[in-house]
Amino acid sequence: MESAKAHTSNKNKEKSVQEKESPVLNGAGILIKTLENLDVDTIFGYPGGAVLPLYDELFDNNDINHVLIRHEQAGSHAADGYARATGKPGVVMATSGPGGTNTVTGIATAAMDSIPLVVFTGQVPKEMIGNDAFQEADIVGITRPITKNNYLVKDVDELEQTVREAFHVATSGRPGPVLVDLPKDMLQAKGRFSGLHKVSIPSYNPTKKGHFTQIQKAAELLSEAEKPLIYAGGGVILGEAWEELTALAENHNIPVTTTLMGLGGFPESKPQSLGMLGMHGTYYANMATTECDVLVAVGARFDDRVTGDLEGFSPHSKKIHIDIDPTNIGKNVEVDVPIVGDVKHVLPEIDKHTEQPDTNDWWDTINKWKEEHPLEVPEEDHKIKPQQMMESISDITNGKAIVVTDVGQHQMWAAQHYTYDYPRSFLSSGGLGTMGYGFPAALGAHFGCPDRPVVCITGDGGFQMTAYELATAVEYEVPLKIAIMNNECLGMVRQWQELFYDERYSHSILKKGNPDFVKLAESYGAAGFRASSKNEMEQVLAEAMTIDDRPVVMDFRVDEYENCYPMVPSGAALNEMVLGDKE
């Protein structure tokens, strides 16, 4: 048996060898080396005084692609788009003070949709923290409510482990943003880079495997159901469980409706697909949700845009809720069978134990709803109807593009009229509803998936919030297709003012101040086109698809007064939909 003395001696030798093999670097070098070690290939960032040591390290680095965005908010949206398109964490780098605070909207956007981001912010030197120093902000305190965790690293010897922990926390369990604040003197101090990968957080251990008894209960409910329905959220995509979901639905012929964040999690070309539910969901998805007798919520959180009036939400159903985050279960809606676990692990178990339910009569009812109230596309040759525009974009890209939207009417038409058959194909700010998200997130999606076409669907209001990133897109020769649904107003605000505020269009009309989007695009070196009729729109789309060395801005002048339907008024139940202007 090895003696205690010999064991200690061996450990000291190992430590000595490890120290000998561990290079001594400054904090900035340790951070960049750790990022390389974690397979980070892209950073969206903007330099400043507090992070100059990091940018000095990046100067000679050929392994990490640093994308120089033009504003830190756009950088955080770009990293978000990268993460949603690839499944890998997005990485942001910003300087202290305003650099950090500019990332806050992007961090909150990612937090609401459970997107893994790791945000590195510069900080003033340690001894100056709390002195109101130049470009000082308590970014750790500011972001505490909107991050999964955050860190202020004061000791260079703790930097590597903290960075590894930040990535582990951001990407495991229910993903989310993590912020790491880096005092400038810590980045300049010397320490060792170990290269050790082990991360252990005793108090953090997300549950992956669902409880067997709960899975059996869920399977029994589904087997006995006469009107089952699967309601799939963004957790299906975050958990990469689209194949398991499709298998469960097809094996037992169960209809599937998805949330905005769940689009692409179940192929919309499949006969079981009912499209999106909720405030602007399809008639048949909302009716099925109201009338079903067993509702299986998969990686969804019963948010208010989905449920409408909680009293009237799916009143006849037994509810099964599968989610990796136990705090989501029972938060908004009481459920009968809660299952805490990773949907990718739980769905096959339910599938295996479920017997074939008799759903013939249920499908007869659903198909009748589909025939009576399909999504409508107005026929118009002399104007561009938004619904026509989305169907034309769906056709010309064969449904294979990554579609990235801003927030508003165009977001809902994009959700309704593009056919999403593939996961990670629809990116949008669902929870926070961040205008200005679309264009920079589309940039990020391109850097993550350069071989896939990326189309940004935006409005004339939302595009102007981050249009300056045309400079980034031109510099990096990004062939984004930016389709502006230009109705010269804040469309969804105007729609609500028309329907609920007696057509008092208070500060929602943009006609007088809108720029010439074609000239704006050309001034940056991008291509610019304009169309005002269906025929012109199709010609512009065809020409835009041939351009592959720069972004293309398409100014589509759509019908100003077109409203987005179906619509569930605020506070109403899902089956109390407004189906059109005449109703």
Side-chain angles (χ1 to χ4, degrees):
M1 179 182 286
E2 187 183 41
S3 68
K5 190 175 179 182
H7 179 70
T8 303
S9 174
N10 288 338
K11 279 191 75 175
N12 287 339
K13 283 180 185 174
E14 285 174 15
K15 187 179 177 185
S16 175
V17 170
Q18 189 182 327
E19 285 183 350
K20 193 174 179 181
E21 293 175 350
S22 301
V24 175
L25 305 170
N26 67 13
I30 290 172
L31 174 56
I32 299 301
K33 198 80 178 167
T34 308
L35 294 180
E36 287 177 359
N37 210 235
L38 289 164
D39 295 327
V40 170
D41 55 23
T42 305
I43 295 173
F44 301 91
Y46 200 92
V51 288
L52 280 180
L54 283 172
Y55 277 84
D56 193 57
E57 286 293 325
L58 286 169
F59 188 73
D60 296 320
N61 186 287
N62 296 316
D63 295 324
I64 296 177
N65 179 28
H66 178 276
V67 179
L68 177 63
I69 39 78
R70 297 316 196 254
H71 191 285
E72 294 89 348
Q73 179 184 339
S76 54
H77 291 324
D80 176 308
Y82 173 96
R84 295 189 202 225
T86 64
K88 299 189 291 185
V91 180
V92 186
M93 195 171 286
T95 192
S96 62
T101 56
N102 282 344
T103 66
V104 168
T105 299
I107 295 172
T109 301
M112 289 290 281
D113 292 340
S114 307
I115 304 304
L117 289 191
V118 180
V119 181
F120 294 102
T121 49
Q123 184 55 274
V124 300
K126 295 191 292 289
E127 70 273 17
M128 298 177 73
I129 293 176
N131 288 355
D132 294 336
F134 176 68
Q135 291 194 330
E136 183 192 0
D138 177 13
I139 196 66
V140 169
I142 290 168
T143 58
R144 188 163 289 129
I146 55 171
T147 51
K148 198 171 169 188
N149 202 1
N150 59 19
Y151 307 84
L152 170 62
V153 186
K154 292 184 175 179
D155 185 344
V156 69
D157 289 330
E158 295 177 0
L159 176 59
E160 180 183 353
Q161 187 60 23
T162 302
V163 173
R164 292 187 189 281
E165 194 172 302
F167 277 80
H168 175 68
V169 171
T171 56
S172 57
R174 180 184 176 183
V178 175
L179 182 137
V180 184
D181 201 23
L182 308 163
K184 186 174 182 178
D185 56 333
M186 187 279 297
L187 290 174
Q188 294 167 322
K190 296 287 186 182
R192 288 191 181 276
F193 170 75
S194 75
L196 297 177
H197 287 258
K198 189 177 179 183
V199 174
S200 176
I201 310 173
S203 60
Y204 176 72
N205 190 21
T207 302
K208 288 190 173 183
K209 196 174 176 182
H211 194 284
F212 180 68
T213 304
Q214 296 299 91
I215 288 172
Q216 275 192 317
K217 286 181 184 175
E220 285 170 13
L221 276 179
L222 266 181
S223 302
E224 295 167 1
E226 295 179 356
K227 296 185 282 185
L229 177 68
I230 295 172
Y231 145 48
V236 171
I237 293 171
L238 293 166
E240 301 190 341
W242 44 82
E243 290 181 0
E244 290 76 7
L245 173 65
T246 303
L248 175 65
E250 288 194 313
N251 289 343
H252 305 288
N253 200 23
I254 302 172
V256 179
T257 179
T258 60
T259 66
L260 186 72
M261 294 292 92
L263 289 172
F266 185 80
E268 293 193 322
S269 296
K270 298 279 186 185
Q272 290 84 9
S273 174
L274 305 187
M276 185 175 74
L277 81 164
M279 182 172 278
H280 290 283
T282 64
Y283 177 85
Y284 31 95
N286 285 345
M287 290 303 296
T289 305
T290 304
E291 298 298 327
C292 68
D293 61 359
V294 172
L295 181 70
V296 187
V298 185
R301 59 187 178 91
F302 295 93
D303 73 272
D304 58 302
R305 289 296 172 113
V306 161
T307 63
D309 176 23
L310 284 172
E311 293 288 326
F313 177 73
S314 197
H316 315 297
S317 68
K318 294 284 187 182
K319 297 176 182 65
I320 302 163
H321 190 181
I322 310 164
D323 204 294
I324 199 164
D325 183 355
T327 66
N328 261 346
I329 295 179
K331 187 175 181 179
N332 298 323
V333 172
E334 285 190 21
V335 298
D336 300 278
V337 182
I339 304 177
V340 178
D342 187 333
V343 292
K344 192 173 181 67
H345 289 256
V346 174
L347 287 174
E349 290 299 309
I350 293 178
D351 191 2
K352 189 166 67 179
H353 293 94
T354 299
E355 296 177 10
Q356 188 67 40
D358 181 359
T359 56
N360 291 334
D361 290 346
W362 181 224
W363 274 111
D364 287 343
T365 302
I366 290 173
N367 288 331
K368 188 178 177 187
W369 287 332
K370 282 187 170 184
E371 289 174 11
E372 290 175 349
H373 298 288
L375 284 174
E376 292 186 358
V377 180
E379 286 298 323
E380 181 68 67
D381 291 328
H382 301 294
K383 292 181 179 177
I384 300 174
K385 291 289 186 179
Q387 302 92 330
Q388 289 177 323
M389 176 182 148
M390 284 315 309
E391 291 213 335
S392 295
I393 292 173
S394 186
D395 290 344
I396 203 165
T397 59
N398 294 317
K400 294 181 177 177
I402 298 174
V403 174
V404 191
T405 78
D406 256 313
V407 172
Q409 283 181 317
H410 69 272
Q411 178 191 33
M412 294 299 115
W413 280 312
Q416 292 174 338
H417 294 280
Y418 194 96
T419 302
Y420 298 98
D421 277 341
Y422 307 97
R424 304 198 185 285
S425 293
F426 178 79
L427 318 184
S428 193
S429 171
L432 196 65
T434 307
M435 284 180 69
Y437 167 87
F439 177 34
L443 267 175
H446 166 80
F447 282 104
C449 304
D451 297 327
R452 290 189 66 184
V454 181
V455 181
C456 172
I457 310 295
T458 185
D460 46 317
F463 182 61
Q464 289 183 73
M465 288 192 174
T466 45
Y468 49 81
E469 291 299 335
L470 277 169
T472 308
V474 169
E475 179 182 344
Y476 291 89
E477 299 180 357
V478 178
L480 278 185
K481 309 299 181 271
I482 304 151
I484 302 174
M485 205 175 272
N486 185 355
N487 53 11
E488 299 185 309
C489 62
L490 302 175
M492 191 60 86
V493 177
R494 184 207 54 75
Q495 178 171 335
W496 279 58
Q497 289 173 333
E498 175 187 330
L499 298 178
F500 308 118
Y501 291 87
D502 298 326
E503 301 182 17
R504 290 159 57 84
Y505 300 124
S506 178
H507 302 282
S508 58
I509 307 303
L510 304 177
K511 283 182 183 177
K512 195 173 180 181
N514 267 355
D516 182 324
F517 290 108
V518 174
K519 288 182 179 176
L520 179 70
E522 291 173 346
S523 73
Y524 278 100
F529 301 101
R530 179 174 296 113
S532 301
S533 67
K534 182 184 177 185
N535 188 41
E536 288 177 0
M537 174 187 69
E538 290 176 346
Q539 289 177 17
V540 164
L541 279 172
E543 188 167 353
M545 293 299 161
T546 67
I547 296 174
D548 60 6
D549 61 349
R550 59 201 155 121
V552 182
V553 175
M554 296 171 281
D555 179 12
F556 292 133
R557 299 300 182 94
V558 300
D559 188 346
E560 175 181 348
Y561 294 103
E562 190 71 22
N563 287 332
C564 186
Y565 297 112
M567 177 181 187
V568 178
S570 180
L574 284 189
N575 62 346
E576 297 174 331
M577 290 166 274
V578 179
L579 299 177
D581 285 333
K582 294 179 182 177
E583 298 189 22

